Amino acid sequence: MQIGHSGAERKGRDFVARHGETVFNAAGRLQGDHAHTPLTRAGFAQADEIGRALRELLGAKPALTLWASPTGRALQTLAVIAERLELDWHGARTDGRLVEIGMGSWGGRYYADVVAEVGPVVDPATGALRCAPDGERYGGIAERVGGWLAETADDGGDRLVVMHGISSRVMRGVMCGLPVLPELGAPLAPGLPQGSVVMIERGRERVVHLGGGHAPA
């Protein structure tokens, strides 16, 4: 699967991965920007599959800069991937701009309870999460991930970025020059299951591995 081209070019390829399943995902709870929601056994297996796929593509000890959201679930996922690739997890860099959409007072609550109060919170057409009244807006996500991309645009070589369902979709949309959706105020790349990884090169995206997860965020 390939999606559009932005015309922007970075010297190197970006591998953008979505973390593995967490205990919140398994329980049907909204995670948002919660810092510490550990992986399930399925989540560890999904992370290992990302590592296996990247090793098949890049080989052992590839020249790959490691980046992650500072959340526990992203760092756990990265640890498993790094082990598969024979890379040092301790050399990874983190940035708070890579975190998931902030869900405000909905964060940590069960989907079913929020839906009972306000109606559907996931758009069936796009898979986009409805913004909480006191939560983050999609335009804000685009601004922060866009800031990170601009700040690191001169990075050379390949890099792996482990992040989240919604924030990675916005960032992938920015990187591939997808149109801004009027209802969201930001671009939104197609949703991918947990444990997936894509490669973006010169504004074009290709799925490297499709994971077995299912939760939206």
Side-chain angles (χ1 to χ4, degrees), residues 19 39 68-79 89 162-164:
H19 68 77
L39 300 183
S69 156
T71 59
R73 58 196 186 272
L75 290 169
Q76 280 186 308
T77 300
L78 180 59
W89 176 88
V162 180
M163 48 193 303
H164 307 271

Side-chain angles (χ1 to χ4, degrees), residues 134-158:
D134 57 347
E136 187 176 23
R137 298 301 186 260
Y138 282 79
I141 301 173
E143 183 176 351
R144 62 175 164 86
V145 299
W148 179 80
L149 289 168
E151 191 175 296
T152 61
D154 292 333
D155 289 357
D158 295 342

Side-chain angles (χ1 to χ4, degrees), residues 89-179:
W89 176 88
H90 295 91
R93 302 171 67 182
T94 63
D95 196 295
R97 290 171 290 186
L98 301 174
V99 299
E100 183 57 299
I101 182 174
M103 293 307 295
S105 58
W106 290 358
R109 297 187 62 195
Y110 288 97
Y111 277 89
D113 291 342
V114 177
V115 169
E117 289 181 9
V118 303
V121 295
V122 178
D123 184 330
T126 65
L129 272 176
R130 178 176 172 181
C131 297
D134 57 347
E136 187 176 23
R137 298 301 186 260
Y138 282 79
I141 301 173
E143 183 176 351
R144 62 175 164 86
V145 299
W148 179 80
L149 289 168
E151 191 175 296
T152 61
D154 292 333
D155 289 357
D158 295 342
R159 63 187 181 187
L160 168 66
V161 186
V162 180
M163 48 193 303
H164 307 271
I166 296 297
S167 61
S168 68
R169 292 182 64 185
V170 174
M171 191 171 84
R172 289 164 46 219
V174 171
M175 294 174 76
C176 294
L178 299 186

